[in-house]
């Protein structure tokens, strides 16, 4: 199907993606159409092997070290592109995002089709990314492309994007499973973190303030105690949900109508990231819920990426 120019949804270790032949502009256009994605939002090209990078982009020497440390895995690098990459993939930019994924099923497909694949997350533009095959099916209804079911994805949030467009000044464009500290171990100095909170000038549209957004309204809290205080003053318990980082016994004394869930039994932030999007989708599917109070983690390691997604999901701008 992919070789014939069709898009196929498949699992990656981060989120489910919608894969098309990156060198076939018609196939790539269909991905934009299925997602209703604006043309100014470029796609990431996924490859099987690091040797293929030179076919499509100009790699600085540091890429070898980054690849040895993090590929295959949840790292996307932005490099100066070669002309072979169609403009529709990169939205006319002079750079291209590249990732070598780790998911065994995806790797098998990359090997069989033997060409670069353009793969955005398999969700309608702006909505929460899918971390299970059912999420993809739910999102697209009758327009759903073929979906390969590989079970729930490992990381649960999208790859970390590092721009090496200017290799002297690496910039993190999107936070993800690999933290700035992880990247610093290879880069030697900490990369800067691009944090745009201005929708009118997206450098990478994943950097738009409102993105990954459920329909239900989210209110963010620094800890469970702050949520407890909020609940004491609110009346509409039937319409209120709570999303905690870990299970706490304190919630057993809360009004029963409040729908409480937690992202991890133990408070593991890896597990919280893994379950975040599924939890947001479940809350969205509950017709009674109007507001969900979310506990946010400390800004450390993957906690920073979880906060980034929660902030965007909560934004109404
Ligand atoms: O984990 C992931 O990266 C997933 C899986 C499927 O691989 N893919 C993903 O793709 O999240 P997508 O299209 O949903 O998000 C890609 C982000 C967008 O925000 C886009 O703007 C940015 O990557 N991007 C792609 N190429 C870029 C470039 N040349 N310069 C700057 N940003 C770029
Ligand atoms: Mg996406």
């Amino acid at each position: 199907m992919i070789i014939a120019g069709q898009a196929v949804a498949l699992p990656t270790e981060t989120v489910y993606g919608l894969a098309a032949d990156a060198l076939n502009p018609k196939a790539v256009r269909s991905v934009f159409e299925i997602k209703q994605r604006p043309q100014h939002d470029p796609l990431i090209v996924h490859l099987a092997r690091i040797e293929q990078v030179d076919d499509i982009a100009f790699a600085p020497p540091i890429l070898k070290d980054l690849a040895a440390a993090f590929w295959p895995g949840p790292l996307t690098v932005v490099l100066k592109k070669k002309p072979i990459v169609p403009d529709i993939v990169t939205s006319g930019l002079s750079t291209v995002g590249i990732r070598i994924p780790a998911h065994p099923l995806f790797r098998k497909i990359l090997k069989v089709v033997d060409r670069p694949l353009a793969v955005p997350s398999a969700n309608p533009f702006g909505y929460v990314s899918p971390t299970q095959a059912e999420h993809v099916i739910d999102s697209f209804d009758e327009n759903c492309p073929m979906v390969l079911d590989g079970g729930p994805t490992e990381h649960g949030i999208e790859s970390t994007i590092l721009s090496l467009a200017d290799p002297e000044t690496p910039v993190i464009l999107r936070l993800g499973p690999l933290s700035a500290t992880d990247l610093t171990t290879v880069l030697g100095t900490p990369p800067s973190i691009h944090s745009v909170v201005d929708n009118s000038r997206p450098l990478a549209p994943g950097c738009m303030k409102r993105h990954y957004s459920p329909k239900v309204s989210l209110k963010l809290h620094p800890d469970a105690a702050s949520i407890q205080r909020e609940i004491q003053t609110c009346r509409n318990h039937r319409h209120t949900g709570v999303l905690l980082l870990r299970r706490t016994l304190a919630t057993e004394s809360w009004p029963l109508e409040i729908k409480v869930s937690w992202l991890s039994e133990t408070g593991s932030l890896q597990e919280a990231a893994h379950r975040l999007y599924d939890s947001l989708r479940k809350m969205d599917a509950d017709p009674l819920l109007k507001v969900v109070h979310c506990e946010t983690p400390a800004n450390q390691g993957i906690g920073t990426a979880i906060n980034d997604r929660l902030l965007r999901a909560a934004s109404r701008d």
Side-chain angles (χ1 to χ4, degrees):
M1 278 183 85
I2 293 175
I3 295 172
Q6 304 242 21
V8 171
L10 43 69
T12 89
E13 72 277 32
T14 57
V15 299
Y16 272 73
L18 193 54
D21 180 351
L23 303 183
N24 176 346
K26 219 171 132 201
V28 175
R29 192 162 303 118
S30 79
V31 166
F32 278 90
E33 278 160 16
I34 295 169
K35 277 182 62 83
Q36 306 222 336
R37 178 173 175 126
Q39 298 262 337
H40 62 71
D41 189 359
L43 306 184
I44 296 171
V45 175
H46 295 62
L47 303 173
R49 291 169 288 108
I50 182 166
E51 298 76 41
Q52 294 172 298
V53 171
D54 292 332
D55 297 342
I56 62 169
F58 298 94
I62 189 71
L63 185 70
K64 229 171 137 202
D65 299 330
L66 287 166
F70 303 121
W71 275 350
L75 173 68
T76 295
V77 293
V78 170
L79 304 178
K80 287 258 177 277
K81 82 170 190 102
K82 289 189 174 169
I84 189 174
V85 184
D87 277 346
I88 185 157
V89 173
T90 59
S91 304
L93 295 176
S94 59
T95 55
V96 57
I98 300 175
R99 180 162 104 79
I100 297 187
H103 195 287
L105 180 54
F106 190 7
R107 292 190 61 72
K108 211 175 268 176
I109 287 167
L110 279 166
K111 210 169 150 201
V112 171
V113 301
D114 192 28
R115 63 189 78 191
L117 297 180
V119 190
S121 52
N123 52 291
F125 181 71
Y127 192 60
V128 180
S129 293
T131 55
Q132 299 175 19
E134 297 77 45
H135 295 167
V136 183
I137 296 164
D138 289 349
S139 292
F140 293 113
D141 285 335
E142 68 267 22
N143 297 324
C144 193
M146 181 174 145
V147 186
L148 299 177
D149 189 348
T153 63
E154 179 191 345
H155 296 293
I157 56 173
E158 304 80 357
S159 61
T160 303
I161 303 182
L162 180 71
S163 175
L164 296 171
D166 173 4
E168 301 304 312
T169 52
V171 183
I172 293 180
L173 298 182
R174 180 173 72 186
L175 294 156
L178 296 169
S179 68
T181 316
D182 294 329
L183 295 175
T184 305
T185 58
V186 174
L187 296 171
T189 50
S192 56
I193 300 178
H194 178 83
S195 63
V196 188
V197 217
D198 176 2
N199 270 348
S200 59
R201 282 186 315 111
L203 183 71
C207 295
M208 285 197 244
K209 187 169 172 194
R210 181 168 186 191
H211 208 79
Y212 314 112
S213 281
K215 291 170 209 103
V216 67
S217 155
L218 301 186
K219 293 244 157 69
L220 306 186
H221 295 258
D223 49 38
S226 153
I227 298 179
Q228 176 143 11
R229 284 194 296 276
E230 177 92 26
I231 278 168
Q232 277 159 358
T233 60
C234 90
R235 300 226 175 104
N236 259 331
H237 293 154
R238 258 161 49 85
H239 301 305
T240 303
V242 170
L243 187 57
L244 298 170
L245 292 172
R246 67 157 72 208
R247 181 176 200 156
T248 51
L249 291 175
T251 62
E252 286 173 11
S253 62
W254 292 3
L256 281 176
E257 302 98 310
I258 295 178
K259 298 212 174 69
V260 182
S261 51
W262 45 86
L263 292 171
S264 161
E265 287 287 326
T266 58
S268 149
L269 291 185
Q270 259 70 29
E271 194 187 351
H274 170 76
R275 290 179 48 185
L276 177 66
Y277 289 159
D278 183 49
S279 299
L280 292 179
R281 282 172 176 263
K282 285 205 173 98
M283 303 245 168
D284 237 8
D286 185 332
L288 277 182
L289 281 187
K290 294 208 170 125
V291 59
V292 176
H293 297 283
C294 302
E295 180 184 3
T296 56
N299 259 328
Q300 246 176 19
I302 199 166
T304 319
I306 293 174
N307 281 332
D308 171 80
R309 300 306 189 274
L310 282 172
L311 265 171
R312 294 178 205 283
S315 170
R316 284 292 170 252
D317 299 343

